[in-house]
Amino acid sequence: MYEVIVTARSFGKGNDAPIKLLENNKCNVKKITTDSPLTSNELIKYIENADAVIAGLDDFNAEVIDAGKKLKVISRYGVGYDKVDIEVATKKGIAVTVTPGANENSVADLAIGSMLSCARYIPQMDQRIKSQQEGRTLGFELWGKTCGIIGTGRIGKGVIKRLSGFNMRILCYDKYPNEELIIEYGVTYCELEELLTESDFVSIHCPLTAETSNLIGEKQLKMMKCSAVIVNTARGGIIDEDALYHALKEGKVASAALDATLQEPSFDSPLLTLQNCLITPHIGGYTMDAVLNMGMLAAQNVISILDDQNCPYKIN
């Protein structure tokens, strides 16, 4: 029997099919119940005898990975792997896998919902009514506006598909332009400065890397329209949150919606004091559909690596 540690909090939630898949393939599953990502010391304690880990947003640094003496695979429950020291894992012969496409519809839906919530002040109007206060805030439409998409991978493409129904002009920024998007949806690829200057909405869908860390800082926020909305359903750290706080507070940007923040949960962030900043607790992939899809693929990745099969979602 293989020992599989699960730190991804929603793995198997609502449907135990991913757990059964592992158990039917000679795996003993030990799910760690916690309300927040595990610390390095906690991870080290659990990982010592593990053959595989289905990893959530925990930090799998060099110290943690070194502690996994039997470890063969870190199966990321999602597509981001910035929390895993890939270099160390590779040197130790530990496979790192991801679950691309499993949550793309859920995240794309949330991005659109966030834009609508900001444009129409939906959370604020809800709270106003519940507080028995009169008055309305004048919103604005998505229809016919310009939206900038930063990162046109699976999720960015999904957002573009949805926005096509709003008759929007779509500007895109990506190192690798997608010709199919240009042909099918009439998007325009451009430099980041042009995208920020011309967009009424900006939606971020790129990975967090050394290159994209603080991609949107004070300089970039100053380029944006004071009526613009910025949405981040990707990773915290892509937006400089201090710069965003001042831009929102000073009215240089109209509003923001963040599902990903530098610290999660973001209880100590000054952004929480702003009415024009909507923050959600990384719920982009937290739907029944996405949880099942990610769980099944993360489990299958573990099985493939442990059985020495080809795994198309191995990234190292």
Side-chain angles (χ1 to χ4, degrees), residues 139-283:
F140 52 95
E141 300 175 356
L142 271 66
W143 183 264
K145 298 297 194 303
T146 297
C147 185
I149 305 293
I150 300 176
T152 54
R154 292 174 183 267
I155 296 171
K157 181 179 179 180
V159 173
I160 291 167
K161 286 182 179 180
R162 287 157 175 77
L163 290 178
S164 65
F166 287 90
N167 190 36
M168 297 185 85
R169 174 190 178 213
I170 309 294
L171 300 178
C172 298
Y173 174 73
D174 197 301
K175 286 175 64 177
Y176 306 101
N178 185 327
E179 294 296 327
E180 291 181 7
L181 292 178
I182 297 172
I183 295 169
E184 189 171 357
Y185 297 102
V187 307
T188 300
Y189 279 88
C190 62
E191 294 301 318
L192 183 60
E193 181 176 350
E194 181 182 350
L195 181 150
L196 294 172
T197 302
E198 298 196 19
S199 295
D200 301 293
F201 297 84
V202 173
S203 194
I204 297 173
H205 303 288
C206 60
L208 176 63
T209 64
E211 194 173 352
T212 62
S213 178
N214 288 335
L215 179 69
I216 306 299
E218 181 181 3
K219 177 182 176 182
Q220 289 74 29
L221 290 165
K222 284 181 178 179
M223 296 175 186
M224 295 175 64
K225 299 178 182 180
C226 61
S227 58
V229 172
I230 186 165
V231 175
N232 183 13
T233 54
R235 279 288 186 270
I238 297 172
I239 299 178
D240 181 332
E241 292 178 12
D242 288 336
L244 179 63
Y245 170 79
H246 291 292
L248 291 169
K249 189 174 178 63
E250 295 164 14
K252 294 175 182 176
V253 175
S255 58
L258 309 177
D259 187 49
T261 51
L262 193 58
Q263 297 296 325
E264 295 179 354
S266 54
F267 295 148
D268 297 326
S269 173
L271 289 167
L272 294 179
T273 65
L274 302 178
Q275 285 296 307
N276 57 345
C277 188
L278 173 63
I279 298 184
T280 47
H282 211 129
I283 58 170

Side-chain angles (χ1 to χ4, degrees), residues 25-39:
N25 284 272
K26 303 179 291 184
C27 293
N28 177 39
V29 181
K30 183 175 182 180
K31 186 173 181 181
I32 311 303
T33 304
T34 177
D35 292 328
S36 58
L38 298 172
T39 65

Side-chain angles (χ1 to χ4, degrees), residues 53-89:
V53 176
I54 294 181
L57 295 172
D58 320 274
D59 187 7
F60 282 81
N61 56 36
E63 184 182 9
V64 172
I65 293 172
D66 280 338
K69 304 303 181 186
K70 298 170 55 183
L71 196 60
K72 299 175 183 67
V73 54
I74 299 172
S75 177
R76 267 288 294 119
Y77 183 74
V79 293
Y81 47 88
D82 48 283
K83 294 284 188 179
V84 181
D85 192 321
I86 301 298
E87 184 178 351
V88 172

